[in-house]
Amino acid sequence: TVIDEFLENQKAKSPNRYRDINNTIGKHFRSYTEGQKVDWLDSSVIVGYFDWRRGQSRYGRKSSENTLHSEAGEILRFLRWCKDRKYLREVPSFEKPSRKDVRRPAFDRDDWNKVIRQSRRWINEHSHPSIQRDRTLLWNYALILINTGIRVGEARTLHWRDIRLEPNGTNTEPNVVFYVDGKTGDREVVARNYENRVVEYLQRIKSLYNEPAPDDFIFAHPNGAPIKSLKRSFASLV
């Protein structure tokens, strides 16, 4: 009951983060605490949760320490909320699983230049309109991420209303400001809009839709639903 109340509160308060909140608290933490009263939650129970999660696997893979570190943040927010609602007297203390610096492989400049040279051929090599649309969207998505540094999760929840143009002093190119909300909270990101290219990338995406409204998602299917992952298109490009 307490978890349901918390999720309802967070759905209204943090809609862009709700997917992660629901996955951690509504799914995993609910399964672990099922049948218990809220005052059962103490430090040993929370530590036991992480041991329990380490024993689980999905598609044959165990949960990483970085995943558990992120889940610890969601659990801490839940426990603080419980204390504010007087469901708990104190927030149980516990040590977060340590985050490991596991860097993903990255393109160097030569790699990226090669991708740029091949991108137009890749988009046009398929004559089917829906595939051309998907590839055009993926390519401009990649260009926007490259020129902003926003995360994949932040891009997933971007609406057209989350972008604004601001004058940039004496320069002819305006500043393109993205308001994003992701795992580290909300923030504003100013794009590198050299020669107005980021505005051009956004215009290309906008042309794929029939006059999108401010509340529409930027990276979306033709029916307006947000795209959860562009991994397959990106793998095709690579």
Side-chain angles (χ1 to χ4, degrees):
T1 303
V2 172
I3 286 176
D4 286 341
E5 184 182 343
F6 172 74
L7 292 176
E8 193 65 29
N9 173 271
Q10 295 300 301
K11 192 172 186 177
K13 183 180 178 181
S14 304
N16 289 340
R17 287 187 50 251
Y18 181 74
R19 181 171 174 267
D20 292 334
I21 296 170
N22 187 46
N23 192 52
T24 297
I25 305 300
K27 180 181 176 183
H28 300 307
F29 201 66
R30 186 196 296 275
S31 296
Y32 178 70
T33 59
E34 187 174 7
Q36 301 294 336
K37 293 184 178 181
V38 68
D39 56 10
W40 175 70
L41 297 174
D42 60 18
S43 299
S44 63
V45 168
I46 305 303
V47 171
Y49 168 81
F50 296 114
D51 291 337
W52 173 76
R53 284 285 285 132
R54 290 185 181 98
Q56 294 185 313
S57 62
R58 187 184 185 201
Y59 306 126
R61 296 176 60 185
K62 299 286 187 180
S63 299
S64 70
E65 291 300 300
N66 288 351
T67 295
L68 299 185
H69 180 90
S70 298
E71 290 185 7
E74 299 293 355
I75 290 170
L76 185 58
R77 277 185 279 273
F78 170 67
L79 295 172
R80 287 171 176 166
W81 178 88
C82 288
K83 182 176 183 296
D84 290 342
R85 294 296 178 98
K86 296 185 170 31
Y87 295 143
L88 287 175
R89 290 186 177 182
E90 297 295 336
V91 175
S93 61
F94 62 94
E95 188 172 336
K96 286 185 177 183
S98 59
R99 180 181 290 277
K100 295 181 179 179
D101 185 11
V102 182
R103 297 186 178 227
R104 294 184 175 94
F107 293 135
D108 61 24
R109 185 167 292 278
D110 288 340
D111 294 332
W112 181 239
N113 287 338
K114 186 180 295 185
V115 174
I116 291 173
R117 288 196 300 271
Q118 296 297 325
S119 60
R120 186 175 297 276
R121 179 193 61 79
W122 173 73
I123 291 171
N124 294 327
E125 72 180 4
H126 217 293
S127 59
H128 197 286
S130 64
I131 294 178
Q132 278 203 348
R133 177 201 179 276
D134 291 346
R135 292 186 174 189
T136 299
L137 180 65
L138 177 279
W139 179 235
N140 288 282
Y141 166 89
L143 291 169
I144 288 172
L145 263 62
I146 280 284
N147 285 280
T148 59
I150 63 177
R151 298 178 175 91
V152 170
E154 293 171 332
R156 186 185 297 122
T157 58
L158 268 176
H159 301 81
W160 290 103
R161 67 168 185 263
D162 297 325
I163 299 175
R164 70 178 190 273
L165 302 182
E166 290 188 348
N168 187 15
T170 58
N171 294 339
T172 56
E173 301 91 352
N175 284 326
V176 186
V177 183
F178 291 72
Y179 175 79
V180 297
D181 191 1
K183 65 180 181 179
T184 59
D186 59 300
R187 63 191 180 114
E188 288 193 337
V189 178
V190 179
R192 181 180 58 184
N193 190 33
Y194 178 67
E195 293 183 348
N196 225 26
R197 288 177 182 172
V198 171
V199 172
E200 180 184 344
Y201 307 149
L202 290 168
Q203 290 295 339
R204 290 179 195 165
I205 294 173
K206 185 171 283 190
S207 68
L208 300 175
Y209 305 97
N210 183 19
E211 298 182 4
D215 288 339
D216 288 346
F217 290 100
I218 295 176
F219 305 111
H221 295 287
N223 64 1
I227 296 175
K228 293 183 178 180
S229 174
L230 288 159
K231 288 181 179 179
R232 289 179 62 184
S233 291
F234 189 68
S236 171
L237 170 61
V238 173

